[in-house]
Amino acid sequence: MEESIGVTEAAQVPRQRGEQLTEAAVWYAQERHWEVFPGTWLEAAGGTERCSCGDTGCAAPGAHPTRPDWADQATGSAAAARRMWSRQPGSSVLMPTGRTFDVLDVPESAGFLALARTERMGLTTGPVIRTPDRRMLFFALPGAAAGAPELVRRLGWDSGAIGLVGRGEGDHVAAPPTRLAGRGAVQWARRPSRADLWLPDVQELISPLAYACAREAADARTRLS
């Protein structure tokens, strides 16, 4: 029997630490209809942790796809997600972008500035992930990654120069509570809730994000001069 699909309050989002990755993957599929697929996992090695891929120089230890056809693995079924993670419960929780959502990836300092600005302006903001690499990922409707560079250009900036990166079709993100060896856990800066069942369009986010990124880039240049 197919598992029922419902909507719960943000308090029922799996905790960022101490919660089974399996339950997190099931929650994302069941409650948000986000597709998920299992990635690599962390293994103990001489008192430390390393990526299951075995590469000592792994760029995303414990949080990257295990196979080249990872996009075909992704599922929006809670039952299928539970079966996948039952084979390796420690697998990272990865989600493909460009399907049910894109993300706008910005420096962490700019992300916090943008969140404060959107609140003051009363703008819609969807879920936001904070990564151990000091980046923040703003969820938006599919198409945001493709549209962002031109929208930023119209505002007078270059998206690459200010550190604003769109992640859409063919890419993926690691979801909480996935951990990267030696770096920490992926966390929610703004958790999914009833208020953001409908994600914002790129045009709703681009102005505060571009402004924040440009300001932080300018400040960084000043510090280096």
Side-chain angles (χ1 to χ4, degrees):
M1 178 181 294
E2 183 66 26
E3 296 185 29
S4 61
I5 302 298
V7 178
T8 60
E9 293 289 355
Q12 293 178 264
V13 176
R15 293 186 299 275
Q16 295 177 111
R17 293 181 173 84
E19 186 73 36
Q20 291 293 325
L21 289 156
T22 300
E23 296 308 315
V26 169
W27 193 92
Y28 296 134
Q30 178 170 292
E31 303 296 346
R32 296 300 298 214
H33 301 200
W34 290 338
E35 293 187 11
V36 295
F37 66 98
T40 53
W41 56 92
L42 297 177
E43 297 178 334
T48 62
E49 291 179 316
R50 68 180 181 187
C51 186
S52 61
C53 73
D55 181 359
T56 56
C58 182
H64 64 83
T66 60
R67 42 197 274 191
D69 63 342
W70 59 264
D72 296 329
Q73 284 185 286
T75 180
S77 163
R82 191 175 294 280
R83 286 195 299 272
M84 286 180 177
W85 267 267
S86 69
R87 300 176 193 130
Q88 177 50 257
S91 297
S92 53
V93 180
L94 306 181
M95 301 191 294
T97 51
R99 298 184 181 181
T100 51
F101 62 84
D102 281 5
V103 300
L104 298 177
D105 180 339
V106 303
E108 183 182 78
S109 55
F112 280 120
L113 179 61
L115 280 176
R117 186 174 175 82
T118 56
E119 288 178 359
R120 288 196 304 270
M121 297 171 68
L123 299 176
T124 302
T125 304
V128 182
I129 282 176
R130 182 182 181 190
T131 77
D133 297 322
R134 301 184 67 82
R135 303 287 295 184
M136 289 177 72
L137 314 179
F138 286 70
F139 282 51
L141 289 172
E150 175 59 19
L151 291 172
V152 171
R153 188 192 66 77
R154 291 178 189 175
L155 293 170
W157 296 297
D158 175 82
S159 57
I162 62 175
L164 191 156
V165 180
R167 296 169 68 174
E169 186 175 0
D171 207 341
H172 64 277
V173 297
T178 297
R179 288 192 306 115
L180 278 71
R183 303 181 198 176
V186 180
Q187 303 180 39
W188 287 112
R190 176 160 290 174
R191 292 171 176 262
S193 72
R194 287 182 182 273
D196 55 36
L197 290 177
W198 291 271
L199 297 176
D201 183 83
V202 62
Q203 297 199 35
E204 298 176 77
L205 291 175
I206 203 66
S207 179
L209 283 178
Y211 169 82
C213 287
R215 175 173 163 178
E216 290 302 304
D219 287 348
R221 289 193 296 272
T222 300
R223 289 193 295 269
L224 292 173
S225 62

